[in-house]
């Protein structure tokens, strides 16, 4: 390292995952000069429990009630001393080489102002919904171009000067949402953003179908659509890439075909039925080819149950997100 590094971990009732997160950071080959725990009104005492682990760990109490990770990160960033700031979520556990790999592009190229990585492909949380959600996120970031068009704060880093010039995270996001994506639009005006595929960390979060759909629709899809009106380039980034839009159209065609089958059989006979079935199969094949790597991961990590369950969740995802 030729630049000092501060790591910021926003947390609200981080529980056991916060300890695993901080211990992973302390074991990093690239040693941060400080780890700032932005405690956003926690009541479980988890932040205080890990404060004694190392002299570099400092707990910053943001407030007595939760204000959201955007504000928590901003408060901690104002007290950070590093030339580079890395943001790591409290339920993310880095490997020894993760942080060094993440910040390397900024050390090698003065024109790069921010970087972000991805979750790895071996999430520990059991269950179809958890494996699907975490593997989908890994897959989306791994298939993204090296030249980034947005930012991700789950495992992301930024030059302190660029962060301050951009104005930090928008406090209009009072809950976890796309505050990092919005910040990325401002950071892009100041320099390059790199997607660092080799910087991976384990996501410890457990998902249910309900929590997944609630987060996807309310905290992601709807705000993303609103932000895309102002920033059309978001329509072709990450999970909104053209191939994903095509896959979404395939799922829509499958649903429409299934709905049309009774009418085709009743009024069109065998010929119409075969035609509709052919269209359904063709759409399924195209969608499967586009998503073959994700489907392979679902099979590898979850077996047949993970493949079928995750595949169905992914089809539903296309319906409510449009890709």
């Amino acid at each position: 390292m030729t630049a000092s590094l501060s790591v910021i971990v926003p947390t609200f009732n981080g529980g056991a995952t916060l300890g695993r997160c901080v211990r992973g950071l302390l074991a990093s080959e690239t040693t941060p000069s400080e780890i700032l725990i932005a405690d956003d009104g926690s009541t479980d005492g988890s932040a205080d429990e890990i404060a004694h682990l190392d002299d570099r760990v400092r707990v910053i109490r943001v407030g007595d009630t939760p204000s959201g990770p955007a504000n928590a990160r901003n408060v901690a960033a104002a007290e950070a001393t590093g030339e580079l700031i890395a943001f790591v979520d409290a339920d993310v556990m880095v490997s020894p080489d993760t942080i060094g790999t993440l910040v390397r592009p900024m050390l090698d190229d003065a024109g790069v102002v921010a970087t972000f990585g991805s979750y790895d492909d071996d999430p520990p949380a059991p269950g179809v919904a958890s494996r699907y959600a975490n593997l989908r996120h890994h897959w989306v970031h791994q298939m993204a171009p090296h030249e980034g068009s947005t930012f991700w704060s789950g495992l992301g880093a930024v030059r302190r000067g660029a962060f301050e010039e951009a104005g930090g995270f928008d406090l209009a996001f009072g809950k976890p949402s796309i505050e990092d994506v919005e910040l990325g639009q401002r950071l892009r005006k100041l320099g390059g953003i790199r997607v660092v595929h080799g910087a991976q960390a384990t996501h410890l979060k457990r998902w249910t179908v309900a929590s997944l759909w609630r987060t996807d629709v309310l905290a992601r899809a709807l705000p993303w659509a609103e932000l895309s009106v102002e920033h059309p380039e978001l329509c072709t980034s990450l999970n909104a890439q053209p191939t994903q839009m095509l896959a979404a159209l395939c799922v829509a065609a499958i649903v429409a075909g299934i709905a049309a089958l009774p009418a085709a059989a009743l009024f069109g006979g065998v010929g119409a039925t075969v035609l509709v079935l052919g269209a359904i199969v063709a759409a399924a094949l195209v969608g499967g080819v586009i998503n073959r790597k994700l489907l392979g991961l679902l099979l590898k990590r979850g077996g047949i149950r993970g493949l079928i369950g995750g595949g169905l969740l992914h089809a539903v995802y296309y319906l409510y997100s449009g890709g």
Side-chain angles (χ1 to χ4, degrees), residues 24-306:
L25 291 169
L26 289 171
S28 294
E29 296 169 356
T30 298
T31 307
S33 57
E34 59 184 358
I35 299 173
L36 305 178
I37 310 302
D39 186 6
D40 192 25
S42 296
T43 57
D44 66 350
S46 57
D48 295 327
E49 289 177 4
I50 54 91
H52 68 280
L53 290 178
D54 192 280
D55 291 340
R56 290 170 292 165
V57 179
R58 181 156 57 102
V59 176
I60 298 173
R61 185 74 174 181
V62 178
D64 293 330
T65 56
S67 59
N71 181 59
R73 295 188 193 102
N74 284 351
V75 170
E79 297 196 27
T81 61
E83 300 165 71
L84 304 180
I85 297 175
F87 298 103
V88 179
D89 281 351
D91 57 4
V92 169
M93 185 173 64
V94 302
S95 299
D97 65 343
T98 299
I99 298 298
T101 304
L102 178 68
V103 302
R104 176 53 56 186
M106 288 190 287
L107 299 177
D108 293 342
D109 185 347
V112 177
V113 299
T115 60
F116 65 92
S118 75
Y119 299 142
D120 64 24
D121 66 351
D122 193 15
V128 170
S130 288
R131 286 200 180 95
Y132 162 70
N134 292 324
L135 288 174
R136 185 189 74 194
H137 195 286
H138 163 81
W139 170 71
V140 167
H141 281 214
Q142 287 295 304
M143 73 176 185
H146 181 63
E147 299 290 330
S149 59
T150 183
F151 183 62
W152 178 51
S153 58
L155 177 63
V158 62
R159 295 187 189 276
R160 180 180 176 181
F163 181 79
E164 292 174 347
E165 185 175 348
F169 292 96
D170 189 343
L171 298 184
F173 294 95
K175 295 181 179 180
S177 184
I178 60 167
E179 68 276 3
D180 46 4
V181 175
E182 193 279 332
L183 172 61
Q185 301 311 295
R186 288 178 276 130
L187 288 173
R188 289 179 68 241
K189 300 175 182 178
L190 304 177
I193 299 176
R194 297 288 183 271
V195 182
V196 188
H197 299 111
Q200 299 184 32
T202 302
H203 196 207
L204 305 173
K205 183 168 183 173
R206 292 174 178 263
W207 294 91
T208 64
V209 172
S211 66
L212 173 63
W213 286 350
R214 182 170 58 249
T215 298
D216 275 352
V217 175
L218 300 180
R220 284 306 209 181
L222 294 179
W224 188 295
E226 293 176 2
L227 191 61
S228 296
V229 175
E230 183 178 352
H231 301 281
E233 62 273 17
L234 286 176
C235 294
T236 57
S237 66
L238 294 180
N239 54 319
Q241 292 183 54
T243 53
Q244 292 305 292
M245 299 305 294
L246 176 58
L249 289 175
C250 288
V251 172
I254 292 171
V255 173
I258 293 173
L261 271 176
L266 182 62
F267 300 109
V270 175
T273 302
V274 171
L275 185 62
V276 173
L277 285 172
I280 293 172
V281 171
L285 288 174
V286 172
V289 169
I290 292 173
N291 292 280
R292 63 190 181 280
K293 291 186 177 180
L294 174 60
L295 296 175
L297 282 173
L298 293 171
L299 178 61
K300 178 181 179 181
R301 297 303 182 190
I304 295 297
R305 182 170 178 265

